[in-house]
Amino acid sequence: MLTYSLDDRPGEALYARLYDRVKADILAGRLTAGERLPSKRALAAQLSISTMTVEAAYGQLADEGYIQPRPRSGYFVSPIAAPLSPAPAPPEPEAPAAPAAPAWFADFAESAAVAEDFPFSVWAKIYRETLASRAEALLTRAPAAGVPELRQAIAGHLWSFRGLSVSPDQIVIGPGAEYLYSLLVRLFGTKGIFGLEDPGYDKIGKVYAACGAKCAWLPLDESGVQPAAIRRRRAAIVHISPSHHFPTGIIMPVSRRYELLAWAGEAPGRYLIEDDYDSEFRLTGRPIPTLFGIDTGGRVIYLNTFSRSLAATVRLSYMVLPPALLRDFRDRLGFFSSAVSNFEQYPLAEFIRQGHFEKHINRMRTKYRKRRSRLLTAIRQSPLGKKAQIIEAGSGLHFLLRFLTVRSDDALVERFRRQELNLVPLARYYHGQPPLSAAHTFLINYAAIKSGIIEEAVRRLAACLKP
Amino acid sequence: MLTYSLDDRPGEALYARLYDRVKADILAGRLTAGERLPSKRALAAQLSISTMTVEAAYGQLADEGYIQPRPRSGYFVSPIAAPLSPAPAPPEPEAPAAPAAPAWFADFAESAAVAEDFPFSVWAKIYRETLASRAEALLTRAPAAGVPELRQAIAGHLWSFRGLSVSPDQIVIGPGAEYLYSLLVRLFGTKGIFGLEDPGYDKIGKVYAACGAKCAWLPLDESGVQPAAIRRRRAAIVHISPSHHFPTGIIMPVSRRYELLAWAGEAPGRYLIEDDYDSEFRLTGRPIPTLFGIDTGGRVIYLNTFSRSLAATVRLSYMVLPPALLRDFRDRLGFFSSAVSNFEQYPLAEFIRQGHFEKHINRMRTKYRKRRSRLLTAIRQSPLGKKAQIIEAGSGLHFLLRFLTVRSDDALVERFRRQELNLVPLARYYHGQPPLSAAHTFLINYAAIKSGIIEEAVRRLAACLKP
């Protein structure tokens, strides 16, 4: 007969404790395969607990397969072989190396939204509703390009927000822009050269290169990438951010856009990848129209992400393929599984469909506009006002600050670091030798700067500029 | 002088209407390159609107490059080589093509769990708690390999369930096994040959090939992949499923495992990828020990997924890298963003940590055991009992059924289809010419077969075998 003293453990049901003890005895071999357990009534009397408690414990053990009921005979221990040999030592309770992020007072290198800005309560509500109402859909495999509802919702958003007329069929959803870059390398192959903006977001080239693509860096003039440079470097696929170049902030004028479209149309296999990463956050005036929207030749791939507009950690991006590439995608990559969980695609589709996404963007634009204005005012009113030049085009969530100083960028970075300020020099975004004009110039991302610390952050910045 | 009647369009600002009209005039050539626009004040007076409205419209046109400001002279039309084509029409409200899945009565080709088996209520509770308590963590970027908490939870699971002693640092999380295959191609490069099981799961080779890897198909004997075949085909990386080969069900004996490890140890750069895709569901006897666990040379990559054990649509898989590859991963691919949403990684970590994952697996094992037993009984008791041979190794969520018939596989598939049964012939999983012994043999996946229809499905199967 089993004798357990079922000590009180707060927050755990009595039956669960009994279940734990019997399970441990089975796993340790103290109860052996085929052995009959005491009847529920007998064990209940023995332990002075109710028969229902024993029944619940036995039921759980049977559900999980530790014991088996036999009709009219009771419960019997299942054959469960414990490890034969002395098992290897249990792993040290070793925590993975923590991400070694220094605790900055103000991190002007971070572009991600902060927790206080994420629409947690609406998201929780929609998630709960989706689990309750879409059980079948959540467990049904999605096509390679993503679930139809989300593609439909994104097409609607692109029409109302970007004036883009696209079919949901043209939309391909992926877990982050990096994943979509890798799909594009698979689609175009590794023979053609990928042209990248120089300066530019360094990760783009790293991803293309890691996927096996050949890259060429293309110098910019004040209108962006130059068609002559594309021709000289023989690039076939050119990745650009015409609405708001990172990091310089250049908005590509419409004349240059038509020059690039003309280049693409001159030979088969030429494409432009339009990376529209933060177009939602042009804070003055209307959004800059897309290159995709004026392309009549089917040579532009439009790419955008929810990293800036929702959260960098949700891993949701999408691209819009022109019809010819769409056929190629289906034929050659259509067998892939969608790499984004249905448990995120369906809630996001509802979030957009119910208008929450638009509301969220509008709220964030207002917040960011205030934050930017407060930051610009603080800079202009501080001693920095005379020691720094603000370079911005009224677009996106960053601008440039050029310090009037003779100190090197490295010396400045070190001074900033001592004040717990993280700033990245513009020069670091050049693949080739940065021009002299890039010196003393730093990126100011302000999306992740909490409003309350702006003045103090500027005071510290100014202190770094003192002789 | 420009004269526009700026008709009322609800929901659109006055300046936006003025912008539209001027832009249309420029694109249509009614305003030509170099032409000076009226001053803000003059145009405002002309149209009876405020100067600020004109200023906003001119500002937007200048930002987009349609006009250029010249100091103290006003705004001038930019030279734009635009094609004179009409703007594209607004989109047809066209729904994406619905996934053309026929409604099968019983789909024996589907391995995914069904909605009734997913632990919705526990998942909803944990998700809600995570949103409420981990706001900061949810919005903090994860390392390339995934969030530390989930890697810690998986390491604990591997210890208690597979007896594997691994550091959380060795674990890399990705959105599905396919993504991890592509990471492995990036890690190993495309020079070495990837060896694949023949027969095998066809998607594995398709993914490797789409990522640019060279593939060689390796014939099996009754113990699995033969080292002689690996040598003959000069494969460097060999992808296998030793615990339960798909589709034949072969369990690789320990002698063959040591032969493969010996092969890997003979030269640098040789690796074995152990795909442990459904080891949780060996339904009789204890789990088959892993190849990773007996490897002392650091030549095995262990790979597993939550596709079978939770849901195919959550897109969560992981691999365990040996230390040498781990360094390589960090150095060369560590800059990637984790491709799995924090909003799935943190809830899953809690789900495992609180013991729900183990309970869910145990519950599903019991369910699947009953389902399998009911299916096998139904087959044995039906006329099929004498017309089909059951081939299974007591492992995993599928077995093989060999029909005693002279009909071709294609003819059988067609007969099944008419009965709304989806079955895939074993022969289709061969890359090369299938052997005669593979004929008349079909895969029976039963994870997605609802218990209530088993007898009727078997009756229909038997009907297809009638002369």
Side-chain angles (χ1 to χ4, degrees):
Chain A
M1 179 60 82
L2 305 175
T3 301
Y4 299 125
S5 101
L6 299 169
D7 51 308
D8 262 341
R9 276 178 289 176
E12 199 177 7
L14 194 60
Y15 92 87
R17 277 178 272 156
L18 178 58
Y19 153 90
D20 278 345
R21 300 294 297 270
V22 178
K23 175 172 154 185
D25 278 354
I26 293 171
L27 287 175
R30 289 187 291 272
L31 287 168
T32 54
E35 196 172 338
R36 187 176 173 279
L37 291 178
S39 75
K40 294 172 206 164
R41 188 184 304 255
L43 187 57
Q46 163 83 3
L47 301 177
S48 301
I49 56 180
S50 80
T51 321
M52 275 178 62
T53 303
V54 181
E55 188 166 328
Y58 279 12
Q60 181 72 27
L61 287 164
D63 278 354
E64 297 185 13
Y66 287 97
I67 61 175
Q68 289 164 334
R70 288 187 209 153
R72 281 177 305 276
S73 328
Y75 284 92
F76 292 79
V77 175
S78 306
I80 300 165
L84 267 185
S85 52
E92 294 295 307
E94 172 196 3
W104 300 108
F105 176 76
D107 188 352
F108 291 105
E110 177 57 70
S111 61
V114 290
E116 66 183 55
D117 292 334
F118 187 83
F120 277 108
S121 62
V122 174
W123 187 262
K125 177 174 164 286
I126 285 185
Y127 193 87
R128 191 175 62 238
E129 287 169 0
T130 307
L131 284 201
S133 63
R134 306 299 307 272
E136 283 284 345
L138 285 168
L139 292 192
T140 302
R141 291 173 198 271
V147 307
E149 279 89 336
L150 181 54
R151 288 146 70 199
Q152 182 99 50
I154 289 172
H157 169 74
L158 286 175
W159 171 245
S160 61
F161 195 83
R162 291 307 255 139
L164 286 184
S165 166
V166 308
S167 157
D169 274 340
Q170 292 177 261
I171 294 174
V172 176
I173 292 158
E178 297 168 13
Y179 182 87
L180 297 177
Y181 303 163
S182 74
L183 277 190
L184 289 172
V185 176
R186 282 176 213 154
L187 208 52
F188 291 125
T190 52
K191 292 214 177 97
I193 293 171
F194 282 68
L196 305 169
E197 294 169 322
D198 187 16
Y201 185 45
D202 49 336
K203 231 176 165 185
I204 297 172
K206 280 166 129 178
V207 171
Y208 283 129
C211 296
K214 285 189 283 284
C215 296
W217 277 264
L218 309 169
L220 310 186
D221 61 20
E222 71 288 348
S223 297
V225 158
Q226 308 164 64
I230 298 175
R231 291 199 170 85
R232 206 164 49 237
R233 306 298 311 272
R234 294 168 197 244
I237 320 290
V238 179
H239 187 123
I240 52 178
S241 48
S243 286
H244 186 224
H245 175 256
F246 185 91
T248 66
I250 291 172
I251 298 172
M252 184 179 284
V254 66
S255 52
R256 178 62 52 87
R257 291 169 189 240
Y258 281 114
E259 287 180 71
L260 291 182
L261 290 173
W263 162 83
E266 277 166 16
R270 288 183 178 175
Y271 285 94
L272 295 157
I273 299 168
E274 176 176 30
D275 196 336
D276 205 30
Y277 69 103
D278 79 346
S279 61
E280 293 83 0
F281 297 106
R282 176 164 158 84
L283 302 178
T284 55
R286 345 198 307 162
I288 304 295
T290 61
L291 189 62
F292 188 95
I294 58 170
D295 170 34
T296 53
R299 297 308 184 96
V300 177
I301 295 138
Y302 177 89
L303 202 145
N304 207 339
T305 170
F306 292 92
S307 282
R308 302 289 182 107
S309 52
L310 195 56
T313 55
V314 295
R315 314 315 296 143
L316 262 156
S317 300
Y318 59 92
M319 59 183 176
V320 185
L321 296 177
L325 282 181
L326 185 63
R327 275 190 298 275
D328 227 27
F329 173 81
R330 283 189 183 149
D331 291 349
R332 289 171 36 217
L333 304 175
F335 70 90
F336 271 88
S337 302
S338 170
V340 181
S341 170
N342 280 9
F343 287 69
E344 300 230 294
Q345 294 196 57
Y346 282 104
L348 180 60
E350 268 312 285
F351 188 79
I352 298 171
R353 208 186 57 76
Q354 293 183 15
H356 297 296
F357 184 53
E358 199 192 325
K359 274 185 206 153
H360 177 66
I361 288 179
N362 288 338
R363 192 162 47 233
M364 291 314 299
R365 283 163 60 91
T366 305
K367 266 198 182 184
Y368 286 144
R369 200 179 283 119
K370 280 188 193 155
R371 214 171 280 175
R372 187 177 71 141
S373 150
R374 185 162 168 184
L375 179 56
L376 291 173
T377 304
I379 292 171
R380 289 190 182 110
Q381 292 178 348
S382 86
L384 267 189
K386 289 182 185 152
K387 288 183 193 153
Q389 178 194 356
I390 295 160
I391 307 168
E392 55 141 3
S395 194
L397 298 179
H398 72 266
F399 55 84
L400 297 173
L401 210 49
R402 179 177 295 149
F403 298 107
L404 312 177
T405 177
V406 292
R407 286 215 178 76
S408 74
D409 285 2
D410 285 348
L412 281 175
V413 165
E414 177 52 25
R415 285 194 155 212
F416 295 146
R417 198 192 55 73
R418 273 191 237 137
Q419 291 280 354
E420 296 174 298
L421 303 175
N422 191 26
L423 283 83
V424 178
L426 173 61
R428 205 168 290 164
Y429 291 97
Y430 283 83
H431 182 77
Q433 180 70 24
L436 284 178
S437 63
H440 315 311
T441 308
F442 287 76
L443 245 75
I444 304 289
N445 287 284
Y446 55 86
I449 306 294
K450 291 178 180 166
S451 297
I453 64 156
I454 285 178
E455 284 75 16
E456 171 61 13
V458 170
R459 199 197 57 72
R460 292 188 185 203
L461 261 185
C464 297
L465 270 290
K466 282 192 187 139
Chain B
M1 180 57 82
L2 304 175
T3 301
Y4 299 124
S5 100
L6 299 171
D7 50 312
D8 262 339
R9 274 177 291 175
E12 201 178 8
L14 196 60
Y15 91 87
R17 276 178 274 158
L18 177 57
Y19 154 90
D20 279 344
R21 300 294 297 268
V22 178
K23 177 171 150 185
D25 278 353
I26 293 172
L27 287 174
R30 288 187 291 271
L31 287 167
T32 55
E35 193 171 341
R36 187 177 174 280
L37 291 178
S39 77
K40 295 173 206 166
R41 187 184 307 255
L43 187 57
Q46 162 83 4
L47 302 178
S48 301
I49 58 181
S50 81
T51 321
M52 275 178 60
T53 301
V54 180
E55 189 165 326
Y58 280 13
Q60 181 74 26
L61 288 163
D63 282 350
E64 295 181 16
Y66 286 97
I67 62 177
Q68 288 164 334
R70 288 186 208 154
R72 281 176 304 277
S73 331
Y75 286 91
F76 294 80
V77 176
S78 307
I80 299 161
L84 294 172
S85 55
E92 295 294 308
E94 170 194 4
W104 299 108
F105 176 75
D107 188 353
F108 291 104
E110 177 57 70
S111 62
V114 291
E116 65 182 55
D117 292 333
F118 187 83
F120 277 109
S121 62
V122 174
W123 188 263
K125 176 174 165 286
I126 287 185
Y127 193 88
R128 190 175 64 238
E129 287 168 2
T130 307
L131 284 200
S133 63
R134 306 300 307 273
E136 284 284 345
L138 284 168
L139 292 192
T140 302
R141 290 172 199 269
V147 307
E149 279 89 337
L150 180 55
R151 287 146 71 198
Q152 182 98 50
I154 289 172
H157 168 74
L158 285 174
W159 168 247
S160 61
F161 195 83
R162 289 308 253 143
L164 288 182
S165 171
V166 308
S167 157
D169 274 341
Q170 292 175 262
I171 294 174
V172 176
I173 292 157
E178 297 167 13
Y179 182 86
L180 297 176
Y181 302 162
S182 75
L183 278 189
L184 289 172
V185 175
R186 281 175 212 156
L187 208 53
F188 291 124
T190 51
K191 291 212 178 96
I193 293 170
F194 281 67
L196 305 169
E197 295 168 321
D198 187 16
Y201 185 45
D202 50 336
K203 231 175 165 184
I204 297 173
K206 279 166 128 178
V207 171
Y208 283 130
C211 296
K214 284 189 284 286
C215 296
W217 278 263
L218 309 169
L220 310 187
D221 61 19
E222 70 289 347
S223 297
V225 157
Q226 309 164 64
I230 299 175
R231 291 197 169 86
R232 205 164 50 237
R233 306 298 310 272
R234 293 168 198 247
I237 320 291
V238 179
H239 187 122
I240 52 179
S241 48
S243 287
H244 185 224
H245 174 258
F246 184 90
T248 65
I250 291 172
I251 297 172
M252 186 180 284
V254 70
S255 54
R256 177 62 54 86
R257 290 168 190 241
Y258 279 114
E259 285 180 73
L260 291 182
L261 290 173
W263 163 82
E266 277 166 17
R270 288 183 178 176
Y271 286 93
L272 294 157
I273 298 168
E274 177 177 27
D275 199 334
D276 207 29
Y277 68 103
D278 78 345
S279 61
E280 293 84 0
F281 297 106
R282 178 165 159 80
L283 302 179
T284 57
R286 33 187 270 158
I288 306 297
T290 61
L291 189 61
F292 188 93
I294 59 170
D295 170 34
T296 55
R299 297 307 184 95
V300 177
I301 295 139
Y302 176 89
L303 203 145
N304 206 339
T305 171
F306 291 92
S307 282
R308 301 288 183 107
S309 52
L310 196 56
T313 55
V314 295
R315 314 313 299 144
L316 260 155
S317 300
Y318 58 93
M319 60 182 174
V320 186
L321 295 177
L325 282 182
L326 186 63
R327 277 190 298 276
D328 226 30
F329 173 80
R330 282 188 184 150
D331 293 350
R332 289 170 38 217
L333 303 175
F335 69 89
F336 271 87
S337 302
S338 171
V340 181
S341 170
N342 281 8
F343 287 68
E344 299 230 294
Q345 293 195 58
Y346 282 104
L348 181 59
E350 268 312 286
F351 187 78
I352 298 172
R353 208 186 59 74
Q354 293 183 14
H356 297 296
F357 184 52
E358 196 195 327
K359 276 187 199 150
H360 176 67
I361 288 179
N362 288 336
R363 196 164 40 236
M364 291 313 298
R365 285 164 57 90
T366 304
K367 266 199 184 185
Y368 286 145
R369 201 180 282 121
K370 280 188 193 154
R371 213 171 281 173
R372 188 178 68 141
S373 150
R374 186 166 167 181
L375 179 56
L376 291 175
T377 304
I379 292 172
R380 288 191 184 112
Q381 290 179 349
S382 85
L384 267 189
K386 290 183 184 153
K387 287 184 194 153
Q389 178 193 357
I390 296 160
I391 306 168
E392 56 141 3
S395 194
L397 297 179
H398 72 266
F399 56 83
L400 297 173
L401 210 49
R402 178 178 296 147
F403 297 108
L404 311 178
T405 177
V406 292
R407 284 212 179 78
S408 74
D409 285 3
D410 285 349
L412 282 175
V413 165
E414 177 52 26
R415 284 197 154 208
F416 295 147
R417 198 191 55 71
R418 274 191 236 140
Q419 292 281 353
E420 296 174 300
L421 303 175
N422 191 25
L423 282 84
V424 178
L426 173 60
R428 207 169 289 165
Y429 291 97
Y430 282 82
H431 182 75
Q433 179 69 25
L436 284 178
S437 63
H440 316 310
T441 308
F442 288 75
L443 248 74
I444 304 289
N445 287 284
Y446 55 86
I449 305 295
K450 292 180 182 168
S451 296
I453 64 155
I454 287 180
E455 285 74 16
E456 170 62 13
V458 170
R459 199 197 57 72
R460 292 187 185 203
L461 261 186
C464 298
L465 269 291
K466 282 194 187 139

